[in-house]
Amino acid sequence: MKVLVPIKRVPDPYAKVKPLADGSGLDLSGIKFDINPFDEIAVEEAVRMKERDASVSIVAVSIGGAETEEQLRKALAMGADEAILIETTDALDPRAIAAELAALVNDLQPDVVLMGKQATDEDNNQVGQRLAAKLGWPQATFASKVSPAEGNVTVERETDDGGETLLLKTPCLITTDLRLNEPRYIALPGIIKARSKPLSKRERATSLEPQVKTLNLEAPPARAGGRKVGSVDELVDALKEMGVIA
Amino acid sequence: MSHLLLIAFDGADAIQGARFAQALDLPFDIIQLTGEAVTDLGARRVLTFGLPSLPPADFLAHALKDLVNESTHIAAVSAMRSKDVLPRLAGLLDAPMVTDVLKIVSKDTFVRPMLAGSVLATVQVSGSPILMTVRPAGFPEAVRSGSSEVVHTKPQFAGTTRRVSASAKQGGRPDLSQAGVVVSGGRPLKDADTFERLIGGLADHLGGAAGATRAAVDSGIASNELQVGQTGKVVAPNLYLACGISGSTQHMAGIKDSKVIVAINTDGDAPIFEIADLGLVMDLYEAIPQLMEKMPKA
Ligand SMILES: Cc1cc2nc3c(=O)[nH]c(=O)nc-3n(C[C@H](O)[C@H](O)[C@H](O)COP(=O)(O)OP(=O)(O)OC[C@H]3O[C@@H](n4cnc5c(N)ncnc54)[C@H](O)[C@@H]3O)c2cc1C
Ligand SMILES: Nc1ncnc2c1ncn2[C@@H]1O[C@H](COP(=O)(O)O)[C@@H](O)[C@H]1O
């Protein structure tokens, strides 16, 4: 079984990223980058599938600049077999990313595409569902448990008010939620081994221009700082004064 | 002619979505997938599917695709169910989509959050139709008047996904994303019983919903669907009570639209106090029982 894992390079989710003063972009000076946390979970899940079933092969792919090699190496160190960098500096929106990934899927013919539900830089939460639509594949978003079998995958997924279990015939697409697993710590042998694993580069296969363009970035208005109260009584009085409680 | 199609999963969702629809100020129709049609929101027509429950995303997106032909805008209230289906519909239509619209600048330009709400992006969209998930809290409550024509529609479903089972949340608390009061707890709630007794207890006392941080959910203290934040639910209550919550960027992304935020935390320097309207430096194990005594019961 072949599993394709698309990953995105994003700013460290714990870093405080601010817009540039003129609103033209983000101030990324001194910010570290990492694999999008949801994609790291997808890589981890694929590796666990491989550990249970040796016939699983894992291809990690990313669309981005040359520096994205760093994140693909990390995916290889975690246990992916092969990595592909679709190298570009073009501005892309989820529609263009999905088109690019669809072209790659048609070329590689994976059984499962396993990817993050959202990239924590732009928080779009679109690419997986778009890709599944383009391919005409069934999808299970927000997966919290993935159980592959012969010709199908059972996915437990999170919903607004609980959860559900879906049965998808392969080929299919799955997006990960945080609770699917906890990615492993990468030990030194993995990092060394990753250096000799294949990482190939390709050019874009499609030429869609973005239809969603960013005009301006700004910091959200700060909430007017409040005040501290000294006791529960004071708190209850303040809430009454503000008209929040009767 | 510009025209909006509002996709509503049920009646309550239609009422929330109508805030955006009325603010966009275009003629609009509603497709209401389940429940009794809500006809006083100013829509020209309400197409009802009359479904007993929602089918999987592939079925739903396929059925919706045939009904959107004259729309220039297609919107649904941000939620996991809309985020499952709308991007798939956008993929089928090969159309642009904007996630989590907070503000309308013009008919093709919108403001949305990025990076867990720490940045607001103004985006301009070319191409049509424009699909959107929208956050209703930033728009005025919908005016209720008039009477839309109701059209019972038989959706043409096609798909292959099979739902094996579904579990809905227990208990009669209001829906997190619609509740007027939300009481949330974080890591220091020791276990599920303690969470239920203190956070659940105070929520019930105030007639509100219970919420949790990812740390609380991850450690099994609270169930998944209670997670509030960047990757959980976005809430906009009149009162948000954060108990034992540090105030990570990811958690704050889900609570910024609350009218009044109260934080109870033993650490006076916790970041949550920077955005809380009222802060109380106190052990939650002392504060919550006192609150249950002193706050009026709903
Ligand atoms: C990609 C990504 C997405 C994420 N999405 C979310 C999300 O959607 N929602 C979310 O919440 N988190 C999310 N997180 C996690 C987030 O970064 C924080 O780790 C999490 O919010 C912390 O939860 P907490 O405040 O309960 O715990 P902590 O940060 O550990 O804070 C506990 C607080 O309780 C206080 N405290 C301790 N004992 C007491 C007591 N007895 N009484 C009162 N106060 C006490 C402490 O002073 C401390 O401030 C995400 C992280 C990542 C990387
Ligand atoms: N540039 C990219 N290269 C590869 N995969 C991507 C890229 N952008 C997004 N993805 C994938 O799409 C998922 C959802 O991203 P998004 O819809 O942008 O929030 C991510 O978790 C990745 O798996």
Side-chain angles (χ1 to χ4, degrees):
Chain A
M1 188 167 75
K2 191 190 272 185
V3 183
L4 180 69
V5 187
I7 65 174
K8 190 176 190 190
R9 173 185 165 92
V10 299
D12 170 3
Y14 294 108
K16 294 242 182 291
V17 180
K18 296 201 175 79
L20 292 168
D22 67 358
S24 65
L26 296 171
D27 181 359
L28 294 170
S29 54
I31 301 285
K32 276 194 286 189
F33 282 74
D34 205 341
I35 301 186
N36 174 37
F38 294 98
D39 302 346
E40 193 175 346
I41 290 169
V43 175
E44 173 66 31
E45 193 63 22
V47 173
R48 291 185 190 187
M49 284 159 74
K50 189 182 167 78
E51 284 166 351
R52 288 191 299 263
D53 172 359
S55 75
V56 169
S57 67
I58 306 166
V59 183
V61 59
S62 190
I63 305 163
E67 64 283 1
T68 310
E69 206 177 309
E70 189 189 336
Q71 280 66 44
L72 286 169
R73 287 282 170 214
K74 180 168 175 186
L76 291 171
M78 287 176 72
D81 299 295
E82 185 193 331
I84 298 172
L85 174 58
I86 300 177
E87 197 174 339
T88 176
T89 51
D90 297 347
L92 298 169
D93 62 4
R95 174 172 164 268
I97 301 267
E100 201 57 55
L101 291 174
L104 187 73
V105 167
N106 287 329
D107 184 20
L108 301 180
Q109 303 277 323
D111 302 282
V112 176
V113 175
L114 191 56
M115 57 198 285
K117 73 165 180 177
Q118 89 193 56
T120 54
D121 52 355
E122 292 192 24
D123 288 333
N124 275 315
N125 199 328
Q126 291 186 29
V127 173
Q129 299 88 312
R130 283 179 170 277
L131 177 58
K134 281 195 97 61
L135 298 168
W137 288 9
Q139 74 186 42
T141 50
F142 321 147
S144 54
K145 187 169 182 209
V146 174
S147 316
E150 190 59 43
N152 62 60
V153 184
T154 303
V155 181
E156 287 175 26
R157 63 182 294 272
E158 296 178 9
T159 60
D160 291 296
D161 59 0
E164 65 180 9
T165 305
L166 300 180
L167 182 69
L168 311 180
K169 287 207 185 81
T170 54
C172 65
L173 185 142
I174 299 163
T175 75
T176 62
D177 219 319
L178 289 173
R179 265 162 302 280
L180 180 56
N181 62 48
E182 210 162 299
R184 70 196 56 201
Y185 173 77
I186 307 168
L188 196 58
I191 298 171
I192 292 167
K193 213 169 141 200
R195 290 194 196 130
S196 57
K197 286 184 179 174
L199 190 157
S200 59
K201 293 188 181 179
R202 303 188 177 199
E203 299 194 339
R204 283 182 69 187
T206 61
S207 56
L208 291 183
E209 299 273 336
Q211 289 185 323
V212 180
K213 289 200 180 117
T214 303
L215 300 183
N216 182 54
L217 298 175
E218 62 193 320
R223 275 186 81 99
R227 63 190 170 101
K228 289 211 174 97
V229 290
S231 68
V232 169
D233 285 316
E234 257 184 67
L235 176 60
V236 173
D237 287 344
L239 288 171
K240 279 187 183 147
E241 246 166 66
M242 294 163 94
V244 181
I245 55 172
Chain B
M1 248 311 268
S2 290
H3 172 261
L4 165 72
L5 180 66
L6 176 67
I7 297 171
F9 288 78
D10 54 35
D13 198 38
I15 294 167
Q16 290 300 313
R19 294 174 171 228
F20 172 80
Q22 293 182 0
L24 187 64
D25 198 19
L26 288 177
F28 69 101
D29 289 342
I30 299 174
I31 293 186
Q32 195 182 313
L33 302 175
T34 68
E36 193 76 31
V38 183
T39 57
D40 61 354
L41 296 168
R44 296 184 314 191
R45 298 183 304 164
V46 180
L47 282 65
T48 56
F49 277 14
L51 300 173
S53 64
L54 293 173
D58 50 346
F59 288 81
L60 210 44
H62 182 273
L64 290 169
K65 176 179 67 93
D66 295 332
L67 298 168
V68 303
N69 34 26
E70 53 157 339
S71 313
T72 53
H73 297 69
I74 302 170
V77 171
S78 293
M80 291 172 90
R81 56 195 180 183
S82 59
K83 289 187 177 169
D84 192 27
V85 174
L86 248 70
R88 187 170 179 109
L89 180 59
L92 293 178
L93 298 169
D94 196 26
M97 174 165 170
V98 183
T99 304
D100 289 332
V101 169
L102 297 172
K103 213 171 115 188
I104 301 164
V105 177
S106 72
K107 301 284 188 272
D108 66 2
T109 305
F110 305 94
V111 177
R112 63 173 303 267
M114 284 174 40
L115 289 155
S118 52
V119 174
L120 297 182
T122 305
V123 297
Q124 184 172 38
V125 191
S126 55
S128 175
I130 301 172
L131 288 93
M132 286 164 279
T133 50
V134 304
R135 298 235 186 119
F139 304 98
E141 242 174 81
V143 177
R144 311 284 296 262
S145 71
S147 166
S148 321
E149 179 195 353
V150 178
V151 184
H152 298 286
T153 309
K154 192 159 168 33
Q156 299 299 313
F157 287 129
T160 59
T161 307
R162 221 179 83 216
R163 181 179 288 126
V164 181
S165 65
S167 63
K169 72 161 185 244
Q170 321 279 310
R173 290 193 189 122
D175 189 43
L176 254 180
S177 38
Q178 313 229 346
V181 176
V182 175
V183 183
S184 282
R187 199 190 306 270
L189 275 306
K190 285 186 203 75
D191 49 38
D193 285 346
T194 313
F195 181 89
E196 180 50 34
R197 183 167 52 83
L198 293 177
I199 302 299
L202 184 56
D204 288 343
H205 184 84
L206 300 173
T213 63
R214 179 184 169 200
V217 171
D218 274 355
S219 39
I221 295 169
S223 63
N224 294 344
E225 69 269 17
L226 300 191
Q227 185 179 313
V228 172
Q230 179 192 19
T231 51
K233 297 211 163 100
V234 174
V235 299
N238 291 323
L239 174 60
Y240 189 84
L241 259 159
C243 309
I245 293 177
S246 60
S248 64
T249 316
Q250 290 87 5
H251 188 76
M252 299 211 287
I255 69 172
K256 279 186 184 153
D257 291 336
S258 309
K259 288 229 175 63
V260 174
I261 297 175
V262 173
I264 300 170
N265 195 309
T266 41
D267 174 5
D269 294 326
I272 187 84
F273 288 123
E274 285 161 30
I275 69 155
D277 301 281
L278 295 169
L280 177 60
V281 181
M282 193 167 175
D283 188 328
L284 67 88
Y285 288 95
E286 278 175 48
I288 291 181
Q290 285 192 38
L291 281 166
M292 288 214 241
E293 219 174 275
K294 291 172 178 164
M295 296 270 276
K297 197 170 163 56

